[in-house]
Amino acid sequence: RYRSRAALLRRRRSSATNSAVAVTIMAAPAANHTREVKSITVYNKDTVSADVTIRINSASTLYILTKVTLATGETLEYSSED
């Protein structure tokens, strides 16, 4: 299905964390709907390293996709594209 660039840009989300609690970057879909994450980019702009865990919460079951430590200025990129 074709989607215009403007439609794709509207679907971008930005989040920030204080490293104290998990951040939800995409809320659960409504009943009988699904969502697909194409990519996630995490940048550490802090002055210290940050532990980053990318996970899926499916019906209260957590599935860890990756867990890394990002040094200051490092970026983690996740893509569902092969």
Side-chain angles (χ1 to χ4, degrees), residues 26 28-36:
M26 181 178 288
N32 299 317
H33 289 80
T34 60
R35 293 198 174 152
E36 179 181 359

Side-chain angles (χ1 to χ4, degrees), residues 41-44 49-55 64-71 74-78:
T41 302
V42 179
Y43 173 73
N44 181 12
S49 296
D51 294 326
V52 177
T53 303
I54 304 296
R55 64 187 185 185
I64 295 176
L65 299 177
T66 191
K67 189 173 188 176
V68 299
T69 298
L70 294 180
E74 284 189 326
T75 300
L76 167 67
E77 294 183 358
Y78 167 82

Side-chain angles (χ1 to χ4, degrees), residues 5-80:
R5 185 176 193 300
L8 290 173
L9 290 175
R10 283 193 302 270
R11 296 179 184 271
R12 287 185 176 181
R13 304 280 192 272
S14 294
S15 299
T17 181
N18 62 4
S19 299
V21 296
V23 173
T24 299
I25 59 174
M26 181 178 288
N32 299 317
H33 289 80
T34 60
R35 293 198 174 152
E36 179 181 359
V37 175
K38 298 280 187 173
S39 65
I40 299 170
T41 302
V42 179
Y43 173 73
N44 181 12
K45 71 175 188 175
D46 204 339
T47 58
V48 296
S49 296
D51 294 326
V52 177
T53 303
I54 304 296
R55 64 187 185 185
I56 296 172
N57 183 344
S58 178
S60 297
T61 300
L62 300 177
Y63 299 94
I64 295 176
L65 299 177
T66 191
K67 189 173 188 176
V68 299
T69 298
L70 294 180
T72 299
E74 284 189 326
T75 300
L76 167 67
E77 294 183 358
Y78 167 82
S79 174
S80 64

